[in-house]
Amino acid sequence: MKAYELLFFVAPNTDEETRAGVMKRIDVAITAEGGVVDSVEDWGKRTLAFEIDDLTEGDYTLINFHADPQQIAELDRVLRINDAVKRHMVVCRSDRD
């Protein structure tokens, strides 16, 4: 398994129930095929560099995890179809393998 980092943000006015649902779906996508979530960091509200969907702020979360490369495509699909997630990025972390 390789080490990955996922950074995503939702609208700052998103309720806790929706955020918990997003986190649960991400956790299922990572752990379904044997992946492991190493850490979850809630970065809180940050100002965006430019306006996205009429938002000037985003509520960021950083997740470090280990997974097989085949799982990343499914995780990316899950994040793309979730309307609460405005933007996301998955990066392979070769320094943490």
Side-chain angles (χ1 to χ4, degrees), residues 13-80:
N13 58 355
T14 303
D15 60 10
E16 285 302 315
E17 184 177 317
T18 304
R19 281 184 56 81
V22 168
M23 289 300 299
K24 179 65 176 169
R25 187 64 185 106
I26 291 171
D27 187 59
V28 168
I30 292 171
T31 59
E33 300 293 324
V36 178
V37 175
D38 298 326
S39 66
V40 177
E41 296 178 33
D42 184 14
W43 284 8
K45 294 179 184 176
R46 306 261 174 142
T47 303
L48 302 177
F50 54 90
E51 197 171 290
I52 298 174
D53 294 340
D54 297 326
L55 297 174
T56 57
E57 286 186 328
D59 197 355
Y60 284 82
T61 304
L62 176 71
I63 301 174
N64 289 298
F65 64 98
H66 282 79
D68 289 324
Q70 300 88 337
Q71 291 177 259
I72 301 305
E74 174 63 15
L75 179 61
D76 189 51
R77 185 190 70 80
V78 165
L79 291 167
R80 285 183 190 277

